[in-house]
Amino acid sequence: MLLLLTASAGMAGCYYLQAANGQWQVMQKRVPIGEVIDDDATAGQLAERLRLVREARQFSIDELA
């Protein structure tokens, strides 16, 4: 029983380390939304959606504090 508990605790630790590492990688690869919108390689539909996201964010800052 103790062995099972120890093994499961170790696996949970591995899960959290893997999750933290994945989150770190996402944060390192982020690009400012304005750069993505201005990039010629960005599809028109995606750029339009990102503009809408930017407007919604600004609305929430201005109107909803």
Side-chain angles (χ1 to χ4, degrees):
M1 183 70 169
L2 181 60
L3 180 61
L4 181 59
L5 183 60
T6 304
S8 65
M11 287 189 293
C14 288
Y15 170 78
Y16 289 117
L17 286 175
Q18 182 180 9
N21 184 42
Q23 187 63 34
W24 176 256
Q25 289 178 6
V26 167
M27 296 299 290
Q28 292 301 307
K29 294 178 182 180
R30 66 186 173 185
V31 178
I33 194 169
E35 287 183 24
V36 177
I37 291 171
D38 294 339
D39 188 348
D40 292 334
T42 301
Q45 187 177 13
L46 176 59
E48 189 58 37
R49 288 181 180 178
L50 291 173
R51 283 186 198 94
L52 182 61
V53 167
R54 189 168 53 184
E55 290 172 15
R57 181 175 184 271
Q58 193 60 50
F59 173 83
S60 69
I61 291 169
D62 295 341
E63 300 296 325
L64 307 175

